[in-house]
Amino acid sequence: HVQLVESGGGSVQAGGSLKLSCDGSDMRSANACMGWFRQPPGKGREGVGGIYTGDTGKTYLTNSAKGRFTISQHNASTPMLLQMNSLKPEDTAVYTCAAGRWVVDGRLEYCEFNYLGQGTQVTVS
């Protein structure tokens, strides 16, 4: 059973940066991947992006995160990081770490999430 523990949330002024970390157990299995969701107040959960924990470390980001956020991981045994720069008030949300299976569907590659962490609050004012 995969366990995910997030850290690094908090409050920041608009234009500032935050780095979130997610420590996942047993992420060295074949086709494993990790990623992030977020849920703004009063809204539904939306994807942020994901990373393949294998050799390629391939990543993807949703449109709302591109250009400002970066997902990285040194290797499958180290925490996954979400570096968030140029934060905006609309980035305020509970950010949740996720893990699952990397899927290749033609030219489309993404993480099919099966496990979620508890979430960490990010507030941008």
Side-chain angles (χ1 to χ4, degrees):
H1 181 70
V2 174
Q3 291 184 311
L4 303 168
V5 179
E6 303 104 333
S7 61
S11 298
V12 66
Q13 291 188 334
S17 299
L18 274 178
K19 180 184 287 185
L20 304 184
S21 176
C22 177
D23 201 352
S25 62
D26 193 23
M27 295 312 304
R28 289 171 289 179
S29 59
N31 293 330
C33 55
M34 299 177 73
W36 295 92
F37 287 97
R38 69 182 185 182
Q39 186 164 13
K43 297 184 179 180
R45 190 165 61 202
E46 61 186 40
V48 175
I51 183 168
Y52 175 55
T53 61
D55 290 345
T56 66
K58 190 166 186 175
T59 63
Y60 66 91
L61 291 167
T62 59
N63 287 337
S64 62
K66 285 179 182 177
R68 299 185 299 124
F69 294 4
T70 303
I71 293 177
S72 64
Q73 185 179 35
H74 182 64
N75 60 55
S77 298
T78 60
M80 173 186 61
L81 304 176
L82 177 65
Q83 177 67 47
M84 303 185 291
N85 299 326
S86 302
L87 284 163
K88 306 173 183 179
E90 51 264 44
D91 294 317
T92 294
V94 174
Y95 284 72
T96 302
C97 177
R101 181 179 66 95
W102 190 257
V103 174
V104 178
D105 183 6
R107 282 186 280 183
L108 186 64
E109 296 185 63
Y110 60 95
C111 191
E112 184 179 76
F113 296 113
N114 303 115
Y115 304 97
L116 295 177
Q118 293 298 310
T120 184
Q121 177 70 43
V122 170
T123 302
V124 185
S125 59

